[in-house]
């Protein structure tokens, strides 16, 4: 089982221009034991400012990528940018 930790940048719905944080929380919470959602953040996509949330998530690689794809579809996103972080450590 390969674990990854990611930081993802989730922008506003491409149609409504609003960010549905309740939907993000619902989708991620249903599939993962823990995560952090940083909001509000201002992001820019193709020169336009938009409401953005930053998601920190650590889990099996396939689960993380499946969740990002589901968020992309559910939030009407053209793309969700993410970067792989160092391994998450717990004390």
């Amino acid at each position: 089982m390969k674990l990854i930790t990611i930081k993802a940048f989730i922008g506003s719905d491409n149609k409504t221009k609003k960010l549905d944080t309740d939907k993000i929380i619902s989708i991620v919470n249903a599939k993962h034991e823990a995560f952090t959602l940083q909001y509000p953040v201002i992001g820019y996509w193709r020169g336009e400012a938009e409401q953005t949330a930053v998601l920190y998530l650590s889990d099996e690689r396939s689960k993380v990528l499946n969740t990002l794809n589901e968020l992309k579809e559910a939030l009407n996103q053209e793309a969700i940018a993410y970067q792989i972080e160092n391994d998450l450590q717990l004390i």
Side-chain angles (χ1 to χ4, degrees), residues 54-80:
V54 179
L55 172 67
Y56 297 89
L57 180 61
S58 185
D59 211 329
E60 292 177 42
R61 182 181 185 85
S62 61
K63 285 179 67 176
V64 168
L65 296 179
N66 287 340
T67 298
L68 292 179
N69 278 314
E70 184 175 344
L71 287 168
K72 180 182 166 198
E73 295 301 318
L75 300 169
N76 296 309
Q77 290 289 284
E78 186 176 333
I80 291 180

Side-chain angles (χ1 to χ4, degrees), residues 9-71:
F9 303 90
I10 305 168
S12 303
D13 183 302
N14 287 341
K15 295 175 186 167
T16 68
K17 304 298 183 195
K18 296 189 187 291
L19 184 61
D20 190 345
T21 54
D22 289 338
K23 189 179 285 186
I24 295 169
I25 292 167
S26 176
I27 290 169
V28 179
N29 199 38
K31 298 175 182 336
H32 305 277
E33 289 183 6
F35 63 94
T36 298
L37 188 67
Q38 188 176 15
Y39 173 81
V41 177
I42 301 298
Y44 281 80
W45 178 250
R46 298 195 170 155
E48 289 188 38
E50 64 178 356
Q51 296 176 355
T52 302
V54 179
L55 172 67
Y56 297 89
L57 180 61
S58 185
D59 211 329
E60 292 177 42
R61 182 181 185 85
S62 61
K63 285 179 67 176
V64 168
L65 296 179
N66 287 340
T67 298
L68 292 179
N69 278 314
E70 184 175 344
L71 287 168

